[in-house]
Amino acid sequence: MSALAHVPTAPGQPASPPPAARRGRLLPYLLLLPGAAWLFLFFAVPLAQLAAASLYDPTGSLSTGYALTWSFGNYPAALETYWPQFGRSFLFAGIALVLALLMGYPLAYAIAQKAGRWKNLLLVCVIAPMFTSFLVRTLAWKTILSDNGWLVGLLRDVHLLGPDGRLLATPIAVVLGLTYNFLPFLVLPLYASLERLDYRLLEAASDLYASPLKTFRRVTLPLSMPGLIAGTLLFFIPATGDYINAELLGTPNEYMIGNVIDSAFLVRLDYPQGAALSFLLMSAILAVVFVYLRRAGTEEVL
């Protein structure tokens, strides 16, 4: 063995760790480096550019150029003009979320606890629509909800719609499209939580004379909260910013804030207003998510 391995350190001086230990401590950071670089280049940098664009001089244009004049007035001006679309976005996404929960929770529970050997097939049925384009799926709903379609004809026959009643180009169509397109994002996290549920706990609750409703409220629901929280967030956030469903299934009267942002960037070429609206939407969603997580008590869950 080399004598260098036995060189003593000075009194009171801590021994330096061997090179292998130093490399071991650096390894986690090196593994994080590619992901951090990706997020920096394709998230942080564009976000900073968007923030700068939201403070451009609103009188500028693509032909004359934009000057960074720190025009914070772009934010209240955008909100004052388009607050109905903001409210409509959160209203439609909230209604769609409630509908998705009413359908998605029983579906996830049935697949996780009752499906048996059909479990994998049912999971494929939930995921299968995502194998096709979001646009194609929405256009399919345009056909289903058309005035001459079978669904409208059936509702007219049972007198749930008047002779001239319609579903397409109404808020109902937009909400149904949001519910359908984002339902898998709610079902899959819920299934993951419910699939790990120990069925013996439900049997124990029944042995203790708990009613099915009380068993669900005191056992099933609390144990499925991680999946429920994740699913509602994965559903609500993209549904709030969506613009395809309102564009194809609604009219300008049903436009959401995503449609306004799309028009600002691609039609009117008003970059300061589009960027300001984007940041207002992100801020509003973050505020809603923060309040929701606080009320859901995720500190205890995590």
Side-chain angles (χ1 to χ4, degrees), residues 128-168:
M130 301 178 68
F131 295 165
T132 61
S133 167
F134 188 94
L135 186 62
V136 171
R137 283 181 278 148
T138 308
L139 287 172
W141 271 93
K142 190 172 183 178
T143 303
I144 294 171
L145 300 176
S146 64
D147 294 342
N148 298 322
W150 65 268
L151 181 59
V152 171
L154 176 63
L155 294 177
R156 287 172 180 172
D157 291 340
V158 298
H159 303 292
L160 292 178
L161 281 178
D164 298 326
R166 60 184 324 209
L167 293 177
L168 193 62

Side-chain angles (χ1 to χ4, degrees), residues 120-274:
N120 292 334
L121 177 62
L122 292 175
L123 282 175
V124 170
C125 292
V126 171
I127 302 172
M130 301 178 68
F131 295 165
T132 61
S133 167
F134 188 94
L135 186 62
V136 171
R137 283 181 278 148
T138 308
L139 287 172
W141 271 93
K142 190 172 183 178
T143 303
I144 294 171
L145 300 176
S146 64
D147 294 342
N148 298 322
W150 65 268
L151 181 59
V152 171
L154 176 63
L155 294 177
R156 287 172 180 172
D157 291 340
V158 298
H159 303 292
L160 292 178
L161 281 178
D164 298 326
R166 60 184 324 209
L167 293 177
L168 193 62
T170 65
I172 295 175
V174 179
V175 171
L176 289 177
L178 291 172
T179 305
Y180 167 77
N181 279 308
F182 297 109
L183 183 63
F185 295 101
L186 176 67
V187 172
L188 293 179
L190 267 174
Y191 164 79
S193 285
L194 291 169
E195 199 270 337
R196 295 193 298 266
L197 182 64
D198 190 348
Y199 194 76
R200 291 173 297 179
L201 296 175
L202 306 181
E203 293 179 343
S206 178
D207 292 340
L208 294 173
Y209 303 103
S211 64
L213 180 60
K214 191 171 184 179
T215 300
F216 172 78
R217 184 169 57 87
R218 300 293 297 273
V219 180
T220 307
L221 184 60
L223 291 176
S224 66
M225 280 302 292
L228 181 62
I229 292 171
T232 52
L233 292 180
L234 288 173
F235 183 101
F236 182 79
I237 292 173
T240 306
D242 180 71
Y243 67 95
I244 296 295
N245 287 277
E247 181 76 29
L248 297 180
L249 303 179
T251 67
N253 293 328
E254 286 79 43
Y255 275 4
M256 300 164 66
I257 195 61
N259 301 95
V260 178
I261 295 173
D262 173 70
S263 176
F265 278 113
L266 301 181
V267 180
R268 293 183 282 110
L269 303 180
D270 190 346
Y271 286 7
Q273 186 181 80

Side-chain angles (χ1 to χ4, degrees), residues 15-184:
S16 60
R22 289 197 298 269
R23 287 195 299 270
R25 286 202 296 266
L26 291 176
L27 183 59
Y29 300 100
L30 294 176
L31 293 175
L32 289 174
L33 187 59
W38 180 275
L39 287 175
F40 177 77
L41 289 175
F42 298 106
F43 179 76
V45 172
L47 192 65
Q49 292 178 336
L50 189 68
S54 70
L55 301 176
Y56 285 162
D57 183 0
T59 61
S61 66
L62 283 180
S63 57
T64 61
Y66 287 104
L68 181 58
T69 57
W70 303 97
S71 301
F72 288 97
N74 292 335
Y75 286 92
L79 186 59
E80 181 180 1
T81 305
Y82 294 108
W83 66 266
Q85 285 80 4
F86 267 104
R88 191 177 300 130
S89 297
F90 284 91
L91 177 63
F92 285 178
I95 296 174
L97 176 60
V98 173
L99 292 176
L101 284 172
L102 293 176
M103 293 184 292
Y105 200 106
L107 176 61
Y109 183 86
I111 296 175
Q113 297 291 330
K114 304 295 183 181
R117 62 191 180 94
W118 302 103
K119 182 182 298 185
N120 292 334
L121 177 62
L122 292 175
L123 282 175
V124 170
C125 292
V126 171
I127 302 172
M130 301 178 68
F131 295 165
T132 61
S133 167
F134 188 94
L135 186 62
V136 171
R137 283 181 278 148
T138 308
L139 287 172
W141 271 93
K142 190 172 183 178
T143 303
I144 294 171
L145 300 176
S146 64
D147 294 342
N148 298 322
W150 65 268
L151 181 59
V152 171
L154 176 63
L155 294 177
R156 287 172 180 172
D157 291 340
V158 298
H159 303 292
L160 292 178
L161 281 178
D164 298 326
R166 60 184 324 209
L167 293 177
L168 193 62
T170 65
I172 295 175
V174 179
V175 171
L176 289 177
L178 291 172
T179 305
Y180 167 77
N181 279 308
F182 297 109
L183 183 63

Side-chain angles (χ1 to χ4, degrees), residues 5-24:
H6 300 282
V7 175
T9 59
Q13 181 180 357
S16 60
R22 289 197 298 269
R23 287 195 299 270

